[in-house]
Amino acid sequence: WGRRRGGAVQQHPEAPPASSPDQAGEHRGIVRADTHRPARGTTLVAMRVLVTGGAGFIGSSVALALAERHPGMDVLAADNLYRRGSELNLPRLKAAGVAFHHADVRHLADLEAIGDFDALVECSAEPSVMASVDGGGDYVVQANLIGAYHCLEAAARRGAQVVFLSTSRVYPVAAQEALVTREAATRLEL
Protein backbone atom coordinates (compact mmCIF):
# COMPACT_ATOMS: atom_id res chain seq x y z
CA TRP A 1 0.00 0.00 0.00
CA GLY A 2 2.43 2.57 1.19
CA ARG A 3 -0.20 4.75 2.85
CA ARG A 4 1.42 7.32 5.12
CA ARG A 5 -0.30 8.01 8.43
CA GLY A 6 1.27 9.84 11.34
CA GLY A 7 4.82 9.46 10.01
CA ALA A 8 4.56 5.69 9.53
CA VAL A 9 3.86 3.66 6.44
CA GLN A 10 1.02 1.19 6.61
CA GLN A 11 1.68 -1.78 4.37
CA HIS A 12 -0.82 -4.00 2.66
CA PRO A 13 -1.38 -7.05 4.90
CA GLU A 14 -0.30 -9.47 2.14
CA ALA A 15 2.87 -7.58 1.27
CA PRO A 16 6.21 -8.62 2.77
CA PRO A 17 7.95 -6.10 5.03
CA ALA A 18 9.40 -3.26 2.95
CA SER A 19 12.92 -4.33 3.88
CA SER A 20 12.60 -7.95 2.76
CA PRO A 21 12.85 -8.99 -0.88
CA ASP A 22 10.19 -11.14 -2.51
CA GLN A 23 10.91 -14.50 -4.16
CA ALA A 24 12.42 -12.88 -7.24
CA GLY A 25 14.91 -11.06 -5.03
CA GLU A 26 13.37 -7.66 -5.65
CA HIS A 27 11.35 -5.40 -3.40
CA ARG A 28 7.64 -5.14 -4.03
CA GLY A 29 6.20 -1.76 -4.88
CA ILE A 30 5.87 -0.18 -1.44
CA VAL A 31 5.82 3.60 -1.10
CA ARG A 32 8.64 4.62 1.20
CA ALA A 33 7.62 7.40 3.57
CA ASP A 34 11.16 8.75 3.74
CA THR A 35 11.36 9.49 0.00
CA HIS A 36 7.72 10.33 -0.85
CA ARG A 37 8.29 8.57 -4.17
CA PRO A 38 6.77 5.23 -5.06
CA ALA A 39 9.25 2.52 -5.98
CA ARG A 40 9.35 1.53 -9.65
CA GLY A 41 6.42 -0.75 -10.44
CA THR A 42 4.40 0.45 -7.45
CA THR A 43 0.67 0.05 -7.69
CA LEU A 44 -0.84 3.21 -6.28
CA VAL A 45 -4.13 1.63 -5.32
CA ALA A 46 -4.38 2.36 -1.62
CA MET A 47 -3.44 6.01 -1.77
CA ARG A 48 -5.90 8.73 -0.86
CA VAL A 49 -5.54 11.45 -3.49
CA LEU A 50 -7.15 14.89 -3.27
CA VAL A 51 -7.71 16.72 -6.57
CA THR A 52 -8.38 20.42 -5.98
CA GLY A 53 -10.40 22.09 -8.69
CA GLY A 54 -11.81 18.60 -9.04
CA ALA A 55 -15.06 19.63 -10.72
CA GLY A 56 -13.34 21.80 -13.31
CA PHE A 57 -12.35 20.76 -16.81
CA ILE A 58 -8.81 19.57 -16.01
CA GLY A 59 -9.41 18.55 -12.39
CA SER A 60 -12.41 16.35 -13.18
CA SER A 61 -10.47 14.70 -16.01
CA VAL A 62 -7.58 13.96 -13.64
CA ALA A 63 -9.90 12.63 -10.91
CA LEU A 64 -11.82 10.43 -13.35
CA ALA A 65 -8.61 9.07 -14.90
CA LEU A 66 -7.16 8.22 -11.48
CA ALA A 67 -10.37 6.46 -10.45
CA GLU A 68 -10.52 4.52 -13.71
CA ARG A 69 -6.86 3.50 -13.85
CA HIS A 70 -6.48 2.76 -10.14
CA PRO A 71 -9.80 1.28 -8.94
CA GLY A 72 -8.56 0.80 -5.36
CA MET A 73 -7.37 4.39 -5.05
CA ASP A 74 -9.44 6.67 -2.83
CA VAL A 75 -9.93 9.73 -5.07
CA LEU A 76 -11.40 12.92 -3.63
CA ALA A 77 -12.41 15.98 -5.62
CA ALA A 78 -12.61 19.39 -3.95
CA ASP A 79 -14.08 22.40 -5.72
CA ASN A 80 -15.93 25.60 -4.83
CA LEU A 81 -18.11 25.31 -7.99
CA TYR A 82 -17.39 28.97 -8.79
CA ARG A 83 -17.05 28.46 -12.55
CA ARG A 84 -20.29 28.00 -14.41
CA GLY A 85 -20.73 24.45 -15.65
CA SER A 86 -18.42 22.78 -13.12
CA GLU A 87 -21.47 21.38 -11.30
CA LEU A 88 -22.24 19.39 -14.47
CA ASN A 89 -19.22 17.17 -13.71
CA LEU A 90 -20.56 16.09 -10.30
CA PRO A 91 -22.70 13.17 -11.61
CA ARG A 92 -19.71 11.82 -13.59
CA LEU A 93 -17.48 12.03 -10.51
CA LYS A 94 -20.08 10.28 -8.37
CA ALA A 95 -20.58 7.52 -10.95
CA ALA A 96 -16.82 6.90 -11.00
CA GLY A 97 -16.68 6.63 -7.21
CA VAL A 98 -14.91 9.95 -6.69
CA ALA A 99 -15.97 11.57 -3.42
CA PHE A 100 -16.83 15.26 -3.82
CA HIS A 101 -16.11 17.91 -1.17
CA HIS A 102 -17.48 21.42 -1.59
CA ALA A 103 -14.35 23.30 -0.56
CA ASP A 104 -12.60 26.52 -1.50
CA VAL A 105 -8.78 26.62 -1.65
CA ARG A 106 -8.94 30.28 -0.66
CA HIS A 107 -9.85 29.02 2.84
CA LEU A 108 -7.34 26.69 4.48
CA ALA A 109 -10.03 25.51 6.92
CA ASP A 110 -11.95 24.01 3.97
CA LEU A 111 -8.94 21.88 3.03
CA GLU A 112 -8.33 20.90 6.65
CA ALA A 113 -11.95 19.71 6.98
CA ILE A 114 -11.39 17.14 4.22
CA GLY A 115 -9.08 15.10 6.44
CA ASP A 116 -5.99 13.08 5.58
CA PHE A 117 -4.68 12.45 2.10
CA ASP A 118 -1.46 10.99 0.73
CA ALA A 119 -1.16 13.13 -2.39
CA LEU A 120 -2.66 16.36 -3.68
CA VAL A 121 -3.07 17.25 -7.34
CA GLU A 122 -3.50 21.03 -7.49
CA CYS A 123 -5.79 21.84 -10.42
CA SER A 124 -7.69 24.73 -8.88
CA ALA A 125 -7.22 28.07 -10.54
CA GLU A 126 -9.00 30.91 -12.20
CA PRO A 127 -7.61 30.43 -15.71
CA SER A 128 -9.32 33.35 -17.40
CA VAL A 129 -7.15 36.35 -18.11
CA MET A 130 -10.33 38.40 -18.37
CA ALA A 131 -11.40 37.51 -14.81
CA SER A 132 -9.06 40.10 -13.36
CA VAL A 133 -10.05 42.69 -15.97
CA ASP A 134 -13.80 42.27 -15.62
CA GLY A 135 -14.12 41.80 -11.86
CA GLY A 136 -10.88 43.13 -10.43
CA GLY A 137 -7.91 41.04 -9.48
CA ASP A 138 -8.86 40.03 -5.94
CA TYR A 139 -10.51 36.69 -6.80
CA VAL A 140 -7.69 35.75 -9.18
CA VAL A 141 -5.00 36.49 -6.58
CA GLN A 142 -6.94 34.73 -3.80
CA ALA A 143 -7.70 31.63 -5.90
CA ASN A 144 -4.41 31.29 -7.78
CA LEU A 145 -1.82 32.55 -5.31
CA ILE A 146 -3.31 32.16 -1.85
CA GLY A 147 -5.15 29.00 -2.92
CA ALA A 148 -1.94 27.39 -4.17
CA TYR A 149 -0.22 28.35 -0.90
CA HIS A 150 -3.06 26.76 1.10
CA CYS A 151 -2.79 23.57 -0.95
CA LEU A 152 0.95 23.38 -0.30
CA GLU A 153 0.40 24.08 3.39
CA ALA A 154 -2.30 21.40 3.71
CA ALA A 155 -0.07 18.87 1.93
CA ALA A 156 2.96 19.76 4.07
CA ARG A 157 0.95 19.29 7.27
CA ARG A 158 0.16 15.74 6.14
CA GLY A 159 3.51 14.88 4.58
CA ALA A 160 1.64 14.40 1.31
CA GLN A 161 3.04 14.45 -2.20
CA VAL A 162 2.05 17.37 -4.47
CA VAL A 163 1.54 17.67 -8.20
CA PHE A 164 1.00 21.27 -9.30
CA LEU A 165 -0.68 21.90 -12.64
CA SER A 166 -0.28 25.25 -14.30
CA THR A 167 -1.23 26.92 -17.55
CA SER A 168 0.62 28.47 -20.44
CA ARG A 169 -0.56 31.84 -19.15
CA VAL A 170 2.29 31.97 -16.64
CA TYR A 171 4.89 31.98 -19.42
CA PRO A 172 5.60 35.01 -21.62
CA VAL A 173 3.87 34.65 -24.99
CA ALA A 174 6.77 36.24 -26.92
CA ALA A 175 9.21 33.66 -25.53
CA GLN A 176 6.86 30.84 -26.52
CA GLU A 177 6.44 32.18 -30.02
CA ALA A 178 10.22 32.50 -30.43
CA LEU A 179 10.78 28.79 -29.77
CA VAL A 180 11.86 26.82 -32.81
CA THR A 181 9.90 23.58 -33.07
CA ARG A 182 9.69 20.72 -35.51
CA GLU A 183 6.71 18.51 -36.01
CA ALA A 184 7.25 14.85 -35.10
CA ALA A 185 4.79 12.02 -35.69
CA THR A 186 2.89 12.62 -32.43
CA ARG A 187 4.01 15.99 -31.09
CA LEU A 188 5.98 19.18 -31.56
CA GLU A 189 9.59 18.95 -30.42
CA LEU A 190 12.02 21.68 -29.44
Side-chain angles (χ1 to χ4, degrees), residues 18-70:
S19 60
S20 68
D22 64 15
Q23 292 175 350
E26 297 190 12
H27 292 282
R28 293 198 185 196
I30 305 296
V31 177
R32 293 184 48 195
D34 59 334
T35 63
H36 295 289
R37 280 177 267 156
R40 185 177 202 122
T42 297
T43 304
L44 303 176
V45 293
M47 291 184 74
R48 189 165 200 234
V49 179
L50 173 62
V51 180
T52 56
F57 177 72
I58 300 295
S60 64
S61 297
V62 168
L64 291 168
L66 287 171
E68 178 184 330
R69 293 179 184 157
H70 304 285

Short mmCIF file of all heavy atoms in Angstrom, two decimals, residues 18-70:
data_model
loop_
_atom_site.label_atom_id
_atom_site.label_comp_id
_atom_site.label_asym_id
_atom_site.label_seq_id
_atom_site.Cartn_x
_atom_site.Cartn_y
_atom_site.Cartn_z
N ALA A 18 8.73 -4.05 3.98
CA ALA A 18 9.40 -3.26 2.95
C ALA A 18 10.87 -3.57 2.84
O ALA A 18 11.48 -3.37 1.81
CB ALA A 18 9.19 -1.77 3.22
N SER A 19 11.49 -4.07 3.91
CA SER A 19 12.92 -4.33 3.88
C SER A 19 13.26 -5.73 3.40
O SER A 19 14.43 -6.04 3.20
CB SER A 19 13.51 -4.12 5.28
OG SER A 19 12.89 -5.02 6.18
N SER A 20 12.28 -6.60 3.20
CA SER A 20 12.60 -7.95 2.76
C SER A 20 12.23 -8.16 1.31
O SER A 20 11.17 -7.77 0.85
CB SER A 20 11.86 -8.98 3.62
OG SER A 20 10.48 -8.91 3.39
N PRO A 21 13.13 -8.77 0.54
CA PRO A 21 12.85 -8.99 -0.88
C PRO A 21 11.84 -10.11 -1.07
O PRO A 21 11.70 -11.00 -0.24
CB PRO A 21 14.20 -9.37 -1.46
CG PRO A 21 15.03 -9.81 -0.30
CD PRO A 21 14.45 -9.19 0.92
N ASP A 22 11.11 -10.05 -2.21
CA ASP A 22 10.19 -11.14 -2.51
C ASP A 22 10.96 -12.29 -3.14
O ASP A 22 12.18 -12.28 -3.19
CB ASP A 22 9.03 -10.65 -3.39
CG ASP A 22 9.47 -10.17 -4.76
OD1 ASP A 22 10.61 -10.47 -5.17
OD2 ASP A 22 8.67 -9.50 -5.44
N GLN A 23 10.26 -13.30 -3.65
CA GLN A 23 10.91 -14.50 -4.16
C GLN A 23 11.85 -14.21 -5.33
O GLN A 23 12.82 -14.92 -5.54
CB GLN A 23 9.85 -15.52 -4.58
CG GLN A 23 9.10 -16.08 -3.40
CD GLN A 23 7.98 -17.00 -3.85
OE1 GLN A 23 7.64 -17.09 -5.01
NE2 GLN A 23 7.41 -17.70 -2.88
N ALA A 24 11.56 -13.21 -6.10
CA ALA A 24 12.42 -12.88 -7.24
C ALA A 24 13.63 -12.08 -6.81
O ALA A 24 14.48 -11.74 -7.62
CB ALA A 24 11.63 -12.08 -8.28
N GLY A 25 13.75 -11.79 -5.52
CA GLY A 25 14.91 -11.06 -5.03
C GLY A 25 14.76 -9.55 -5.16
O GLY A 25 15.71 -8.82 -4.96
N GLU A 26 13.59 -9.09 -5.51
CA GLU A 26 13.37 -7.66 -5.65
C GLU A 26 12.32 -7.21 -4.65
O GLU A 26 11.50 -8.00 -4.21
CB GLU A 26 12.91 -7.33 -7.07
CG GLU A 26 13.97 -7.69 -8.10
CD GLU A 26 13.61 -7.15 -9.47
OE1 GLU A 26 12.69 -6.33 -9.56
OE2 GLU A 26 14.27 -7.55 -10.42
N HIS A 27 12.34 -5.94 -4.32
CA HIS A 27 11.35 -5.40 -3.40
C HIS A 27 10.05 -5.17 -4.12
O HIS A 27 10.03 -4.74 -5.27
CB HIS A 27 11.85 -4.08 -2.79
CG HIS A 27 13.01 -4.27 -1.88
ND1 HIS A 27 12.86 -4.73 -0.61
CD2 HIS A 27 14.33 -4.09 -2.07
CE1 HIS A 27 14.04 -4.81 -0.03
NE2 HIS A 27 14.95 -4.42 -0.91
N ARG A 28 8.95 -5.45 -3.45
CA ARG A 28 7.64 -5.14 -4.03
C ARG A 28 7.43 -3.64 -4.00
O ARG A 28 8.10 -2.93 -3.29
CB ARG A 28 6.54 -5.83 -3.23
CG ARG A 28 6.62 -7.32 -3.38
CD ARG A 28 5.33 -7.92 -2.98
NE ARG A 28 5.51 -9.36 -3.01
CZ ARG A 28 4.52 -10.19 -3.02
NH1 ARG A 28 3.29 -9.75 -2.98
NH2 ARG A 28 4.73 -11.48 -3.05
N GLY A 29 6.47 -3.18 -4.77
CA GLY A 29 6.20 -1.76 -4.88
C GLY A 29 5.57 -1.18 -3.63
O GLY A 29 4.36 -1.08 -3.53
N ILE A 30 6.34 -0.81 -2.67
CA ILE A 30 5.87 -0.18 -1.44
C ILE A 30 6.34 1.27 -1.44
O ILE A 30 7.50 1.55 -1.70
CB ILE A 30 6.43 -0.91 -0.19
CG1 ILE A 30 6.09 -2.40 -0.22
CG2 ILE A 30 5.95 -0.25 1.08
CD1 ILE A 30 4.61 -2.70 -0.15
N VAL A 31 5.44 2.19 -1.17
CA VAL A 31 5.82 3.60 -1.10
C VAL A 31 6.62 3.82 0.17
O VAL A 31 6.16 3.48 1.26
CB VAL A 31 4.57 4.51 -1.11
CG1 VAL A 31 4.99 5.96 -0.96
CG2 VAL A 31 3.79 4.31 -2.39
N ARG A 32 7.80 4.36 0.04
CA ARG A 32 8.64 4.62 1.20
C ARG A 32 8.33 6.02 1.71
O ARG A 32 8.42 6.99 0.98
CB ARG A 32 10.10 4.51 0.80
CG ARG A 32 10.48 3.09 0.43
CD ARG A 32 11.94 2.98 0.13
NE ARG A 32 12.67 3.62 1.19
CZ ARG A 32 13.96 3.95 1.08
NH1 ARG A 32 14.63 3.70 0.00
NH2 ARG A 32 14.57 4.53 2.08
N ALA A 33 8.00 6.12 2.98
CA ALA A 33 7.62 7.40 3.57
C ALA A 33 8.78 8.38 3.59
O ALA A 33 8.59 9.58 3.55
CB ALA A 33 7.09 7.20 4.98
N ASP A 34 10.02 7.86 3.63
CA ASP A 34 11.16 8.75 3.74
C ASP A 34 11.51 9.42 2.41
O ASP A 34 12.19 10.43 2.37
CB ASP A 34 12.38 8.03 4.31
CG ASP A 34 12.82 6.85 3.45
OD1 ASP A 34 11.97 6.28 2.74
OD2 ASP A 34 14.01 6.50 3.50
N THR A 35 11.03 8.89 1.29
CA THR A 35 11.36 9.49 0.00
C THR A 35 10.17 10.17 -0.65
O THR A 35 10.33 11.00 -1.52
CB THR A 35 11.86 8.43 -1.00
OG1 THR A 35 10.81 7.50 -1.23
CG2 THR A 35 13.11 7.73 -0.49
N HIS A 36 8.95 9.81 -0.25
CA HIS A 36 7.72 10.33 -0.85
C HIS A 36 7.61 9.98 -2.32
O HIS A 36 6.88 10.60 -3.04
CB HIS A 36 7.60 11.84 -0.68
CG HIS A 36 7.46 12.25 0.75
ND1 HIS A 36 6.32 12.01 1.47
CD2 HIS A 36 8.32 12.86 1.58
CE1 HIS A 36 6.49 12.47 2.69
NE2 HIS A 36 7.67 12.98 2.79
N ARG A 37 8.40 9.00 -2.79
CA ARG A 37 8.29 8.57 -4.17
C ARG A 37 8.02 7.08 -4.20
O ARG A 37 8.71 6.31 -3.53
CB ARG A 37 9.58 8.86 -4.92
CG ARG A 37 9.68 10.30 -5.34
CD ARG A 37 10.97 10.54 -6.01
NE ARG A 37 11.84 11.01 -4.93
CZ ARG A 37 13.15 10.93 -4.94
NH1 ARG A 37 13.77 10.41 -5.93
NH2 ARG A 37 13.85 11.37 -3.93
N PRO A 38 7.02 6.66 -4.98
CA PRO A 38 6.77 5.23 -5.06
C PRO A 38 7.92 4.53 -5.77
O PRO A 38 8.53 5.09 -6.68
CB PRO A 38 5.49 5.12 -5.87
CG PRO A 38 5.16 6.47 -6.35
CD PRO A 38 6.09 7.45 -5.73
N ALA A 39 8.23 3.32 -5.33
CA ALA A 39 9.25 2.52 -5.98
C ALA A 39 8.78 2.16 -7.38
O ALA A 39 7.58 2.12 -7.65
CB ALA A 39 9.52 1.26 -5.16
N ARG A 40 9.71 1.90 -8.27
CA ARG A 40 9.35 1.53 -9.65
C ARG A 40 8.43 0.31 -9.62
O ARG A 40 8.68 -0.65 -8.91
CB ARG A 40 10.60 1.23 -10.44
CG ARG A 40 10.29 0.96 -11.88
CD ARG A 40 11.54 0.74 -12.68
NE ARG A 40 11.19 1.01 -14.05
CZ ARG A 40 11.76 1.90 -14.82
NH1 ARG A 40 12.75 2.59 -14.35
NH2 ARG A 40 11.36 2.09 -16.04
N GLY A 41 7.36 0.36 -10.39
CA GLY A 41 6.42 -0.75 -10.44
C GLY A 41 5.38 -0.72 -9.33
O GLY A 41 4.60 -1.64 -9.17
N THR A 42 5.35 0.35 -8.55
CA THR A 42 4.40 0.45 -7.45
C THR A 42 2.98 0.59 -7.98
O THR A 42 2.74 1.33 -8.92
CB THR A 42 4.72 1.68 -6.58
OG1 THR A 42 6.00 1.50 -6.02
CG2 THR A 42 3.71 1.84 -5.45
N THR A 43 2.08 -0.13 -7.39
CA THR A 43 0.67 0.05 -7.69
C THR A 43 0.12 1.03 -6.69
O THR A 43 0.19 0.80 -5.49
CB THR A 43 -0.07 -1.29 -7.59
OG1 THR A 43 0.57 -2.21 -8.46
CG2 THR A 43 -1.52 -1.14 -7.99
N LEU A 44 -0.40 2.13 -7.16
CA LEU A 44 -0.84 3.21 -6.28
C LEU A 44 -2.31 3.05 -5.94
O LEU A 44 -3.09 3.98 -6.03
CB LEU A 44 -0.59 4.56 -6.95
CG LEU A 44 0.84 4.84 -7.36
CD1 LEU A 44 0.93 6.16 -8.10
CD2 LEU A 44 1.75 4.86 -6.14
N VAL A 45 -2.71 1.87 -5.52
CA VAL A 45 -4.13 1.63 -5.32
C VAL A 45 -4.65 2.07 -3.97
O VAL A 45 -5.82 2.40 -3.84
CB VAL A 45 -4.49 0.15 -5.55
CG1 VAL A 45 -4.31 -0.21 -7.00
CG2 VAL A 45 -3.68 -0.75 -4.65
N ALA A 46 -3.87 2.07 -2.96
CA ALA A 46 -4.38 2.36 -1.62
C ALA A 46 -4.11 3.80 -1.19
O ALA A 46 -4.31 4.13 -0.05
CB ALA A 46 -3.79 1.40 -0.61
N MET A 47 -3.68 4.62 -2.11
CA MET A 47 -3.44 6.01 -1.77
C MET A 47 -4.75 6.78 -1.72
O MET A 47 -5.70 6.46 -2.42
CB MET A 47 -2.52 6.67 -2.80
CG MET A 47 -1.11 6.16 -2.78
SD MET A 47 -0.07 7.06 -3.94
CE MET A 47 0.13 8.60 -3.07
N ARG A 48 -4.76 7.81 -0.91
CA ARG A 48 -5.90 8.73 -0.86
C ARG A 48 -5.42 10.02 -1.52
O ARG A 48 -4.53 10.71 -1.02
CB ARG A 48 -6.31 8.98 0.58
CG ARG A 48 -7.61 9.74 0.70
CD ARG A 48 -8.15 9.64 2.12
NE ARG A 48 -9.57 9.94 2.11
CZ ARG A 48 -10.13 10.86 2.88
NH1 ARG A 48 -9.40 11.55 3.75
NH2 ARG A 48 -11.41 11.09 2.80
N VAL A 49 -6.00 10.33 -2.67
CA VAL A 49 -5.54 11.45 -3.49
C VAL A 49 -6.62 12.53 -3.55
O VAL A 49 -7.76 12.25 -3.92
CB VAL A 49 -5.18 10.99 -4.91
CG1 VAL A 49 -4.73 12.16 -5.76
CG2 VAL A 49 -4.10 9.92 -4.87
N LEU A 50 -6.25 13.74 -3.20
CA LEU A 50 -7.15 14.89 -3.27
C LEU A 50 -6.83 15.68 -4.54
O LEU A 50 -5.68 16.06 -4.77
CB LEU A 50 -6.96 15.79 -2.04
CG LEU A 50 -7.71 17.12 -2.07
CD1 LEU A 50 -9.22 16.89 -2.12
CD2 LEU A 50 -7.33 17.95 -0.84
N VAL A 51 -7.85 15.91 -5.36
CA VAL A 51 -7.71 16.72 -6.57
C VAL A 51 -8.46 18.02 -6.31
O VAL A 51 -9.68 18.03 -6.21
CB VAL A 51 -8.28 16.00 -7.81
CG1 VAL A 51 -8.11 16.88 -9.05
CG2 VAL A 51 -7.60 14.64 -8.00
N THR A 52 -7.73 19.13 -6.17
CA THR A 52 -8.38 20.42 -5.98
C THR A 52 -8.76 20.96 -7.35
O THR A 52 -8.11 20.68 -8.35
CB THR A 52 -7.46 21.41 -5.24
OG1 THR A 52 -6.24 21.54 -5.96
CG2 THR A 52 -7.18 20.95 -3.82
N GLY A 53 -9.85 21.71 -7.40
CA GLY A 53 -10.40 22.09 -8.69
C GLY A 53 -10.99 20.87 -9.38
O GLY A 53 -11.09 20.79 -10.59
N GLY A 54 -11.41 19.91 -8.56
CA GLY A 54 -11.81 18.60 -9.04
C GLY A 54 -13.09 18.55 -9.84
O GLY A 54 -13.38 17.52 -10.44
N ALA A 55 -13.86 19.61 -9.88
CA ALA A 55 -15.06 19.63 -10.72
C ALA A 55 -14.84 20.46 -11.97
O ALA A 55 -15.73 20.58 -12.80
CB ALA A 55 -16.26 20.18 -9.94
N GLY A 56 -13.66 21.02 -12.12
CA GLY A 56 -13.34 21.80 -13.31
C GLY A 56 -12.97 20.90 -14.47
O GLY A 56 -12.94 19.67 -14.36
N PHE A 57 -12.65 21.51 -15.59
CA PHE A 57 -12.35 20.76 -16.81
C PHE A 57 -11.15 19.83 -16.61
O PHE A 57 -11.24 18.62 -16.82
CB PHE A 57 -12.10 21.73 -17.97
CG PHE A 57 -11.73 21.04 -19.24
CD1 PHE A 57 -12.68 20.33 -19.96
CD2 PHE A 57 -10.43 21.08 -19.72
CE1 PHE A 57 -12.35 19.68 -21.13
CE2 PHE A 57 -10.08 20.43 -20.90
CZ PHE A 57 -11.05 19.73 -21.60
N ILE A 58 -10.02 20.37 -16.19
CA ILE A 58 -8.81 19.57 -16.01
C ILE A 58 -8.92 18.70 -14.76
O ILE A 58 -8.64 17.51 -14.79
CB ILE A 58 -7.55 20.46 -15.91
CG1 ILE A 58 -7.38 21.30 -17.19
CG2 ILE A 58 -6.31 19.64 -15.62
CD1 ILE A 58 -7.10 20.49 -18.44
N GLY A 59 -9.34 19.29 -13.65
CA GLY A 59 -9.41 18.55 -12.39
C GLY A 59 -10.33 17.35 -12.45
O GLY A 59 -10.00 16.27 -11.95
N SER A 60 -11.50 17.50 -13.08
CA SER A 60 -12.41 16.35 -13.18
C SER A 60 -11.82 15.28 -14.08
O SER A 60 -11.96 14.09 -13.81
CB SER A 60 -13.79 16.79 -13.69
OG SER A 60 -13.72 17.29 -15.00
N SER A 61 -11.12 15.68 -15.13
CA SER A 61 -10.47 14.70 -16.01
C SER A 61 -9.40 13.93 -15.26
O SER A 61 -9.27 12.71 -15.42
CB SER A 61 -9.87 15.40 -17.23
OG SER A 61 -10.88 16.00 -18.01
N VAL A 62 -8.62 14.62 -14.44
CA VAL A 62 -7.58 13.96 -13.64
C VAL A 62 -8.22 13.00 -12.64
O VAL A 62 -7.80 11.85 -12.51
CB VAL A 62 -6.69 15.00 -12.92
CG1 VAL A 62 -5.81 14.36 -11.87
CG2 VAL A 62 -5.85 15.77 -13.93
N ALA A 63 -9.24 13.47 -11.92
CA ALA A 63 -9.90 12.63 -10.91
C ALA A 63 -10.52 11.39 -11.55
O ALA A 63 -10.38 10.28 -11.03
CB ALA A 63 -10.96 13.44 -10.16
N LEU A 64 -11.19 11.56 -12.67
CA LEU A 64 -11.82 10.43 -13.35
C LEU A 64 -10.77 9.44 -13.87
O LEU A 64 -10.96 8.22 -13.77
CB LEU A 64 -12.70 10.91 -14.50
CG LEU A 64 -13.97 11.67 -14.07
CD1 LEU A 64 -14.61 12.37 -15.26
CD2 LEU A 64 -14.94 10.73 -13.37
N ALA A 65 -9.67 9.95 -14.40
CA ALA A 65 -8.61 9.07 -14.90
C ALA A 65 -7.96 8.28 -13.76
O ALA A 65 -7.70 7.08 -13.90
CB ALA A 65 -7.55 9.89 -15.64
N LEU A 66 -7.72 8.94 -12.63
CA LEU A 66 -7.16 8.22 -11.48
C LEU A 66 -8.10 7.12 -11.00
O LEU A 66 -7.68 6.00 -10.74
CB LEU A 66 -6.86 9.20 -10.34
CG LEU A 66 -5.67 10.11 -10.51
CD1 LEU A 66 -5.63 11.17 -9.40
CD2 LEU A 66 -4.37 9.32 -10.55
N ALA A 67 -9.39 7.45 -10.91
CA ALA A 67 -10.37 6.46 -10.45
C ALA A 67 -10.48 5.29 -11.42
O ALA A 67 -10.60 4.14 -11.00
CB ALA A 67 -11.73 7.13 -10.26
N GLU A 68 -10.40 5.58 -12.71
CA GLU A 68 -10.52 4.52 -13.71
C GLU A 68 -9.28 3.64 -13.76
O GLU A 68 -9.37 2.42 -13.82
CB GLU A 68 -10.74 5.15 -15.09
CG GLU A 68 -10.84 4.12 -16.21
CD GLU A 68 -10.95 4.78 -17.58
OE1 GLU A 68 -11.51 5.89 -17.68
OE2 GLU A 68 -10.48 4.17 -18.55
N ARG A 69 -8.11 4.25 -13.71
CA ARG A 69 -6.86 3.50 -13.85
C ARG A 69 -6.41 2.82 -12.57
O ARG A 69 -5.61 1.90 -12.61
CB ARG A 69 -5.77 4.42 -14.38
CG ARG A 69 -6.06 4.86 -15.78
CD ARG A 69 -5.02 5.79 -16.31
NE ARG A 69 -5.44 6.24 -17.64
CZ ARG A 69 -5.03 7.35 -18.19
NH1 ARG A 69 -4.18 8.12 -17.56
NH2 ARG A 69 -5.46 7.68 -19.39
N HIS A 70 -6.87 3.32 -11.44
CA HIS A 70 -6.48 2.76 -10.14
C HIS A 70 -7.74 2.53 -9.31
O HIS A 70 -8.02 3.32 -8.39
CB HIS A 70 -5.52 3.71 -9.43
CG HIS A 70 -4.30 4.04 -10.24
ND1 HIS A 70 -3.27 3.16 -10.40
CD2 HIS A 70 -3.98 5.15 -10.96
CE1 HIS A 70 -2.34 3.71 -11.17
NE2 HIS A 70 -2.75 4.92 -11.53
#
